[in-house]
Amino acid sequence: MTNAPQNVLFIMADQLRWDYLSCYGHPHLHTPNIDRLASKGVRFTNAYVQSPFCGPSRMSTYTGRYCRSHGSTWNGFPLRIGERTMGDHLREVGVQSVIVGKTHMVPDTEGMNWLGIDPKSTIGVQLSECGFTPFERDDGLHPNSGYDGNPDYNGFLREHGINSPNPWDDHANSGLTEDGERKSGWLLKYSNLPADVPEELSETPYMTGRAIDFMEQAGDQPWLCHLSFIKPHWPYIVPAPYHDMYGPEHIIPPVRSDAEKATDHPVYKAYIESRICSTFARDEVRERVIPAYMGLIKQIDDQLGRLFAYMEEKGLMENTMIVVTSDHGDYLGDHWMGEKDLFHDQSVKVPLIIYDPRTKADATRGQVRDDLVEAIDLAPTFLSYFGGTAKPHILEGRNLDPLLHASEAPTEWRDYAISEFDYSTREARKTLGTAENKAQLFMIRDARWKLTYAEGFRPMLFDLETDPQELVDLGKSAEHADVISRLTNALFDWTRQHHSRVTVSKERVEHMSINGEPWGIVIGQWDEAEYEATTGHIFGNWSNP
Amino acid sequence: MTNAPQNVLFIMADQLRWDYLSCYGHPHLHTPNIDRLASKGVRFTNAYVQSPFCGPSRMSTYTGRYCRSHGSTWNGFPLRIGERTMGDHLREVGVQSVIVGKTHMVPDTEGMNWLGIDPKSTIGVQLSECGFTPFERDDGLHPNSGYDGNPDYNGFLREHGINSPNPWDDHANSGLTEDGERKSGWLLKYSNLPADVPEELSETPYMTGRAIDFMEQAGDQPWLCHLSFIKPHWPYIVPAPYHDMYGPEHIIPPVRSDAEKATDHPVYKAYIESRICSTFARDEVRERVIPAYMGLIKQIDDQLGRLFAYMEEKGLMENTMIVVTSDHGDYLGDHWMGEKDLFHDQSVKVPLIIYDPRTKADATRGQVRDDLVEAIDLAPTFLSYFGGTAKPHILEGRNLDPLLHASEAPTEWRDYAISEFDYSTREARKTLGTAENKAQLFMIRDARWKLTYAEGFRPMLFDLETDPQELVDLGKSAEHADVISRLTNALFDWTRQHHSRVTVSKERVEHMSINGEPWGIVIGQWDEAEYEATTGHIFGNWSNP
């Protein structure tokens, strides 16, 4: 391998569950290309996102900061001006970070207006594109309602003869029945149909091709390429041959229990009873959706095979760190839930594979690690990779180097992983009548226990050692009062920490603490003699600080 | 009075203790001009700053946000780009806010560089001047070491024939002994000397004159003038005749006990034993400092008499809200402490008098209110005064209108006042060996109790009903475990709140919660019929949202 790190390929799939890859144990979904990357890198089995939802999770991953720090706690909540992302930090060390695909970032146009920043200026584009240089920005949802209606991908489809007002929706995300009737991939009943687009023109190959286009023209300057697939996120529909690669025999049985369905936890109950969750809990829905979901993942794996082959050929495997991860999972009916939002592993845990080309990572190739890692660890890891100075006053994650380079566990690592969820815009809040500023959920998990702290309600607790499927909620168990109290206190410790003291480095704080007041500012000194005795300086002789 | 609010005169004295005004009960220090304002307005007896220290307190007052929200937790910690102040919010409603005096704000030049903002541009100056238009910015400390060495005030003194390299330090803040020897006002032994400057040329009259200069030229546009005196902050030295208006007979006996001195609370003990505090606890220091401190306050009151007379003459009393407050207090040896930092009332409580010219305030003139108010309440009060829309997602304080206009207590008000202190750069941290990111203190007080939560140490608790002087620390009292637990939980509730979700209004959150996903984004719908049944819309008919 190499000692000259040059590039990072940061691959994110959208809504990819941690356990829907063969290297993570899926019995029927074979993902040999991702698995091969894992065999050359480190595979993390306890990687958590900072919010089990697209927007806030991504803003945490990109900024390296918790949701309570960056404040963009929900899809469409603009990232406040002044929050820097990995792209901004890497630009400072001469690295260009490009986006190919989705960020789900909404810019703070009000903040830009205030500061007089033209969104079309260089800095305005950076602020609008989450710190990345937009090579191909595509947030991946382009319904016929007109919402985000004109992706470049539509132009690509039209160039290839697929003409319609919105080929993304009309073709790439619709299917044809045997009778030739066009049916929308937005509706779950039709997830079994093949998308009405040649496979090589569908979104995942297109976006992979765009990443290759970028690498072709990237030149010798170091880069980070964030290849951010919209899939396997819904619309759950995939072109042939992927649409019927998997059938009912490949569907893992749902992880759920009658006791769960009878939960008295108000928030969990409100979710289970919500329209979306009760839909995904239906067997007919699972049977249509899951095979398509698996097909979409299989297609991603195949496309990564294509991309990795290209990189091998170009020598890029020698000097490019490759990360494969996701922004959150998908319940798919497990725990009587659909989508994401809550903190079962199906929702909040993600796959995380890191291939580090440096020779110092040779000792860890193929390792599987169960350390608690967080998505916010990626930004400081990338900054370190490119030789940047650590910024712990801003970047709240941890540089993963010790885990990537040591074959033994590091002596010190984090004790807890934390995630947050703001359900202020969700159906469950209406059901519960929670105030919008109290609609907060927190997860804190340690090596054994996972606690959900629900503002205004009792906690939920799972013993991951005896109950790895998280079926037995111990949140009311008197026997576990100590565990609940310990984790609750640890969570509160964390909320009390500094999350906004971002303009002063820790070194500067130490420096100020050692040096005290600025030179010449004299506090609490009686006279010249006392000043001299306590400071060692002559009062009034200001020439030699 | 009037119904046409036009201006705000926001007067802040620096380090003015709440109880060093005659309207607040000082037996010897008569402040008739401030008292008269109180008789025409509302005087608050429980007004708390959000940090008992200049920089963080002021950044909270100006931004209307807690320290943990704005992140500028210490003097010299730049206010992060993107934090708006009252000046920025008022500018949006057509009000110019000018600063005459001190803000103690350090701009985020790194953030400005990043965003390509020239500090000399219009927005750059606003960002550098804490959102204010600088009419006369003077942070008030200009020692001969060269630190902040050339205030406009020095030019003013030179114009009046006072020539030296730094007349601020050499004359305005130095005194002459009877033998004609020049002694520095930085040293407490010389606080009894008259400052070597004619009274009318000293800082307080100068700054008052500058406020009058502003009003002279202000024109008809609505304005906020922040007249921000550096005094009675140290250097404790005042010109004749104020230097000997007060003697030992006017000094209130120190509020302190032997039990306090023997405290086992690690943080309090470290402070008591620190150099600065042990100096201020000395009788000889109190006897030199306090008369000068009182003289400085008396001078401010006299100057406010001059200013208010000018405003009467110009008709400005009819249409100008006037606020008198401070950024924190001064221990002056009470509780064996000097300076500020901790949460005894001497340090964290401030005077707050609000004169509201509107007729709807007529019913409350001369009222004294003991509601818990916070310095962050001023920004939303000013915004409301000028007719701006409330911004509770940004401004964490409360509009004081209900207290200014009702003659009865409002039915709902805050239950707690909160303050924070980051002692990471202080001597006590070194003594204790606390990690820089754990050097945090919090105060929470309700109608009766005041709790100090000290990160990593036991709390302190005072019963303000039976022990208004805060001499008996109940922080270890088993009998008070319930009170401690209740206040601690309330504090933790507050830390868990959103402090950074500033880009989305509460109305917008409600709107999103009612409207759900953007039009055309379809989640968890089985087929067309189910979509129609649950939404009332025809699937695919996107023309009529």
Side-chain angles (χ1 to χ4, degrees):
Chain A
M1 298 293 163
T2 182
N3 275 312
Q6 179 80 4
N7 311 308
V8 167
L9 173 61
F10 171 28
I11 301 164
M12 184 177 278
D14 194 330
Q15 198 141 327
L16 171 60
R17 248 171 84 143
W18 74 277
D19 56 347
Y20 270 60
L21 296 170
S22 43
C23 57
Y24 278 94
H26 198 289
H28 307 298
L29 177 54
H30 297 296
T31 49
N33 295 297
I34 294 173
D35 294 4
R36 196 162 59 250
L37 190 77
S39 74
K40 299 195 294 182
V42 175
R43 181 166 70 79
F44 293 94
T45 61
N46 283 312
Y48 287 90
V49 289
Q50 272 45 76
S51 186
F53 216 77
C54 294
S57 170
R58 287 164 180 268
M59 294 313 105
S60 281
T61 304
Y62 301 149
T63 61
R65 291 162 54 71
Y66 292 103
C67 293
R68 73 183 297 95
S69 308
H70 60 67
S72 179
T73 62
W74 185 252
N75 290 351
F77 286 18
L79 185 66
R80 64 181 290 188
I81 199 138
E83 280 294 328
R84 278 172 242 210
T85 72
M86 54 172 71
D88 299 310
H89 296 296
L90 294 183
R91 188 174 300 110
E92 288 175 10
V93 293
V95 178
Q96 185 189 33
S97 301
V98 302
I99 173 65
V100 179
K102 172 170 178 171
T103 67
H104 217 123
M105 187 261 196
V106 172
D108 180 3
T109 49
E110 197 186 310
M112 280 198 266
N113 278 341
W114 165 43
L115 297 178
I117 294 172
D118 178 355
K120 294 196 160 45
S121 66
T122 303
I123 182 70
V125 169
Q126 289 164 10
L127 293 172
S128 303
E129 296 291 348
C130 210
F132 295 107
T133 300
F135 188 81
E136 170 102 16
R137 166 82 184 266
D138 185 343
D139 274 5
L141 294 179
H142 313 286
N144 282 333
S145 63
Y147 172 86
D148 200 5
N150 197 22
D152 288 347
Y153 175 63
N154 270 351
F156 168 82
L157 290 179
R158 288 192 197 99
E159 280 169 23
H160 287 79
I162 299 177
N163 282 305
S164 84
N166 178 5
W168 180 89
D169 201 337
D170 305 330
H171 292 269
N173 287 281
S174 290
L176 297 179
T177 64
E178 290 186 359
D179 304 334
E181 199 181 354
R182 185 167 305 276
K183 290 295 187 182
S184 173
W186 288 105
L187 299 170
L188 308 174
K189 183 178 175 184
Y190 310 119
S191 293
N192 63 331
L193 299 179
D196 183 29
V197 68
E199 191 273 328
E200 67 275 15
L201 302 184
S202 62
E203 290 172 276
T204 296
Y206 170 75
M207 217 50 87
T208 308
R210 293 296 288 150
I212 292 172
D213 291 346
F214 165 72
M215 292 181 196
E216 279 290 300
Q217 64 179 64
D220 288 336
Q221 287 305 303
W223 47 258
L224 176 146
C225 175
H226 180 35
L227 171 56
S228 186
F229 292 117
I230 176 61
K231 299 297 180 181
H233 192 284
W234 40 259
Y236 301 106
I237 190 163
V238 63
Y242 296 98
H243 76 295
D244 66 355
M245 273 186 188
Y246 305 99
E249 70 278 18
H250 302 118
I251 298 177
I252 313 172
V255 176
R256 62 195 185 196
S257 73
D258 293 342
E260 281 185 302
K261 198 163 190 182
T263 182
D264 68 351
H265 193 284
V267 180
Y268 184 28
K269 184 177 156 69
Y271 263 96
I272 287 180
E273 293 173 357
S274 72
R275 187 187 62 75
I276 291 173
C277 291
S278 55
T279 300
F280 277 100
R282 280 148 59 183
D283 286 341
E284 62 182 350
V285 170
R286 287 173 39 84
E287 283 165 16
R288 286 283 160 95
V289 164
I290 292 175
Y293 181 75
M294 293 170 68
L296 287 164
I297 297 166
K298 181 68 180 173
Q299 190 188 22
I300 287 174
D301 188 72
D302 286 345
Q303 287 299 314
L304 291 183
R306 170 190 167 207
L307 177 61
F308 297 159
Y310 166 83
M311 292 174 70
E312 291 277 11
E313 188 195 315
K314 297 288 180 180
L316 288 168
M317 279 292 180
E318 301 297 311
N319 61 6
T320 304
M321 173 181 271
I322 303 179
V323 174
V324 172
T325 191
S326 175
D327 60 347
H328 55 75
D330 191 330
Y331 273 109
L332 297 169
D334 286 354
H335 305 289
W336 309 101
M337 293 281 297
E339 284 277 274
K340 43 262 180 182
D341 296 23
L342 302 187
F343 299 118
H344 299 92
D345 273 358
Q346 287 87 351
S347 172
V348 71
K349 185 191 274 196
V350 288
L352 178 64
I353 293 159
I354 302 182
Y355 160 73
D356 183 342
R358 291 172 288 185
T359 46
K360 56 185 166 179
D362 288 350
T364 63
R365 302 199 187 281
Q367 277 198 357
V368 180
R369 296 203 67 109
D370 62 2
D371 315 79
L372 293 171
V373 299
E374 299 184 326
I376 56 174
D377 297 341
L378 292 174
T381 303
F382 297 157
L383 186 60
S384 161
Y385 177 82
F386 286 114
T389 306
K391 298 181 173 182
H393 60 302
I394 301 174
L395 296 170
E396 298 179 310
R398 294 182 174 213
N399 177 359
L400 293 167
D401 275 1
L403 307 184
L404 297 175
H405 300 155
S407 51
E408 298 292 320
T411 51
E412 194 270 328
W413 193 247
R414 71 163 57 81
D415 295 322
Y416 307 102
I418 288 173
S419 192
E420 297 171 88
F421 189 68
D422 174 358
Y423 67 101
S424 57
T425 67
R426 305 300 273 172
E427 181 180 342
R429 175 165 88 87
K430 284 187 277 188
T431 312
L432 295 165
T434 313
E436 57 81 21
N437 58 351
K438 296 281 184 187
Q440 293 195 85
L441 306 174
F442 301 84
M443 177 201 84
I444 180 165
R445 77 149 285 188
D446 66 8
R448 174 169 177 182
W449 305 93
K450 184 193 280 184
L451 182 100
T452 292
Y453 184 87
E455 202 64 51
F457 302 104
R458 72 163 173 87
M460 296 175 75
L461 178 73
F462 298 105
D463 181 347
L464 302 174
E465 193 172 293
T466 63
D467 175 32
Q469 293 198 313
E470 304 173 86
L471 294 170
V472 184
D473 175 10
L474 303 168
K476 290 193 296 185
S477 157
E479 217 180 308
H480 294 86
D482 284 355
V483 176
I484 290 169
S485 164
R486 179 174 60 77
L487 289 169
T488 303
N489 287 334
L491 177 71
F492 292 179
D493 285 353
W494 168 81
T495 60
R496 286 195 311 278
Q497 287 172 11
H498 295 291
H499 293 273
S500 62
R501 207 182 65 176
V502 294
T503 58
V504 182
S505 71
K506 289 173 185 294
E507 290 72 22
R508 175 90 185 123
V509 172
E510 293 297 344
H511 179 84
M512 290 174 81
S513 129
I514 293 161
N515 288 278
E517 297 297 326
W519 180 238
I521 303 283
V522 177
I523 310 176
Q525 297 283 6
W526 174 249
D527 63 4
E528 295 84 347
E530 193 169 297
Y531 179 82
E532 185 173 344
T534 55
T535 67
H537 296 291
I538 307 291
F539 181 83
N541 181 1
W542 302 122
S543 56
N544 56 341
Chain B
M1 298 288 163
T2 183
N3 275 311
Q6 180 79 5
N7 311 306
V8 167
L9 172 61
F10 171 29
I11 301 164
M12 184 177 276
D14 194 330
Q15 198 141 327
L16 172 60
R17 249 171 84 144
W18 74 277
D19 56 347
Y20 269 59
L21 296 171
S22 42
C23 57
Y24 279 94
H26 199 289
H28 308 298
L29 177 54
H30 298 296
T31 49
N33 296 296
I34 294 173
D35 294 4
R36 196 163 58 250
L37 191 77
S39 74
K40 298 195 294 181
V42 175
R43 182 166 68 79
F44 293 95
T45 61
N46 283 312
Y48 286 90
V49 289
Q50 272 46 76
S51 187
F53 216 77
C54 294
S57 170
R58 286 163 180 272
M59 294 313 105
S60 282
T61 304
Y62 301 148
T63 61
R65 291 161 55 70
Y66 291 103
C67 293
R68 72 184 296 97
S69 307
H70 62 66
S72 179
T73 62
W74 185 251
N75 289 351
F77 286 17
L79 185 66
R80 64 181 291 188
I81 198 140
E83 280 293 328
R84 278 173 242 209
T85 71
M86 54 172 70
D88 299 311
H89 295 296
L90 294 184
R91 189 175 298 107
E92 288 176 9
V93 293
V95 177
Q96 184 189 34
S97 301
V98 303
I99 173 67
V100 178
K102 173 169 177 171
T103 66
H104 217 125
M105 187 261 196
V106 172
D108 180 4
T109 48
E110 197 185 311
M112 280 198 267
N113 279 341
W114 165 43
L115 298 178
I117 294 172
D118 178 354
K120 295 196 160 45
S121 66
T122 303
I123 182 70
V125 169
Q126 289 165 10
L127 294 172
S128 301
E129 295 291 348
C130 211
F132 295 108
T133 300
F135 187 81
E136 170 101 15
R137 167 81 184 267
D138 185 343
D139 274 4
L141 294 179
H142 313 285
N144 281 333
S145 63
Y147 171 87
D148 199 5
N150 196 23
D152 288 348
Y153 175 63
N154 270 352
F156 167 82
L157 291 179
R158 287 193 198 100
E159 279 169 24
H160 288 78
I162 299 178
N163 282 304
S164 84
N166 178 4
W168 180 90
D169 202 338
D170 304 330
H171 292 270
N173 287 281
S174 289
L176 297 179
T177 65
E178 290 184 1
D179 304 335
E181 199 180 353
R182 186 167 304 278
K183 291 295 188 182
S184 173
W186 288 105
L187 298 170
L188 308 175
K189 184 179 175 184
Y190 310 118
S191 293
N192 62 331
L193 300 179
D196 183 28
V197 67
E199 191 274 329
E200 66 275 16
L201 302 185
S202 64
E203 290 171 276
T204 296
Y206 171 74
M207 217 49 88
T208 308
R210 293 295 289 148
I212 291 172
D213 291 345
F214 165 71
M215 292 180 196
E216 279 290 302
Q217 65 179 66
D220 289 337
Q221 287 305 303
W223 48 259
L224 178 146
C225 175
H226 180 35
L227 170 56
S228 186
F229 293 115
I230 175 63
K231 299 297 180 183
H233 191 285
W234 40 258
Y236 301 106
I237 189 163
V238 64
Y242 296 99
H243 76 294
D244 66 356
M245 273 187 189
Y246 305 99
E249 69 278 19
H250 302 118
I251 298 178
I252 313 173
V255 175
R256 61 194 187 197
S257 72
D258 292 342
E260 281 185 304
K261 198 164 191 182
T263 182
D264 67 350
H265 193 284
V267 180
Y268 185 29
K269 185 176 155 71
Y271 263 96
I272 287 180
E273 292 174 357
S274 72
R275 188 187 60 73
I276 291 173
C277 291
S278 54
T279 300
F280 278 100
R282 281 150 57 184
D283 287 340
E284 62 182 348
V285 170
R286 286 173 39 84
E287 284 163 17
R288 287 285 160 96
V289 163
I290 292 176
Y293 181 74
M294 291 170 68
L296 288 164
I297 295 166
K298 180 68 180 172
Q299 189 187 22
I300 286 175
D301 187 71
D302 285 345
Q303 287 299 314
L304 290 183
R306 171 190 166 206
L307 177 61
F308 296 160
Y310 167 83
M311 292 175 70
E312 291 277 10
E313 186 195 316
K314 296 289 179 180
L316 287 167
M317 278 291 177
E318 301 297 310
N319 62 5
T320 304
M321 173 182 271
I322 304 178
V323 175
V324 172
T325 191
S326 174
D327 60 346
H328 54 74
D330 191 330
Y331 274 108
L332 296 168
D334 287 352
H335 304 289
W336 309 101
M337 294 279 298
E339 283 278 274
K340 41 263 180 181
D341 295 23
L342 301 187
F343 300 118
H344 299 90
D345 273 358
Q346 287 87 351
S347 171
V348 71
K349 185 191 275 197
V350 289
L352 177 64
I353 293 159
I354 303 183
Y355 160 73
D356 183 341
R358 290 172 288 183
T359 47
K360 57 185 167 177
D362 288 349
T364 63
R365 302 200 187 281
Q367 278 199 355
V368 179
R369 296 202 66 108
D370 62 2
D371 314 79
L372 293 171
V373 298
E374 300 185 326
I376 56 173
D377 297 341
L378 292 174
T381 302
F382 297 157
L383 186 59
S384 161
Y385 177 81
F386 286 114
T389 306
K391 297 181 175 183
H393 60 301
I394 300 173
L395 296 170
E396 299 178 310
R398 293 181 176 215
N399 178 0
L400 293 168
D401 275 1
L403 307 184
L404 297 176
H405 300 156
S407 50
E408 299 290 321
T411 52
E412 195 268 328
W413 193 246
R414 69 163 59 80
D415 296 322
Y416 307 101
I418 288 173
S419 192
E420 299 170 86
F421 189 67
D422 174 358
Y423 66 101
S424 57
T425 67
R426 306 300 274 170
E427 181 180 340
R429 175 165 88 87
K430 282 186 278 189
T431 313
L432 296 164
T434 313
E436 56 81 21
N437 58 350
K438 296 280 184 188
Q440 293 196 85
L441 306 174
F442 301 84
M443 176 201 85
I444 180 166
R445 76 149 284 188
D446 66 9
R448 175 169 177 181
W449 305 94
K450 185 193 279 183
L451 181 100
T452 292
Y453 184 87
E455 202 65 51
F457 302 104
R458 73 162 173 87
M460 295 174 77
L461 179 73
F462 297 105
D463 182 346
L464 303 174
E465 193 171 293
T466 63
D467 175 30
Q469 292 198 314
E470 306 174 84
L471 293 169
V472 185
D473 175 9
L474 302 168
K476 290 192 297 185
S477 156
E479 217 180 308
H480 293 85
D482 284 355
V483 176
I484 290 170
S485 165
R486 180 173 60 76
L487 289 170
T488 303
N489 286 335
L491 176 70
F492 292 0
D493 285 353
W494 168 80
T495 60
R496 286 195 310 280
Q497 288 172 11
H498 295 292
H499 292 274
S500 63
R501 206 182 66 175
V502 293
T503 58
V504 182
S505 70
K506 289 174 185 293
E507 290 72 22
R508 175 89 186 125
V509 172
E510 293 297 344
H511 179 84
M512 289 173 81
S513 129
I514 292 161
N515 288 276
E517 296 296 327
W519 181 238
I521 302 283
V522 176
I523 310 176
Q525 296 285 5
W526 174 250
D527 64 3
E528 294 85 348
E530 193 168 297
Y531 180 83
E532 185 173 344
T534 55
T535 67
H537 296 290
I538 307 291
F539 182 84
N541 181 3
W542 303 122
S543 55
N544 56 342

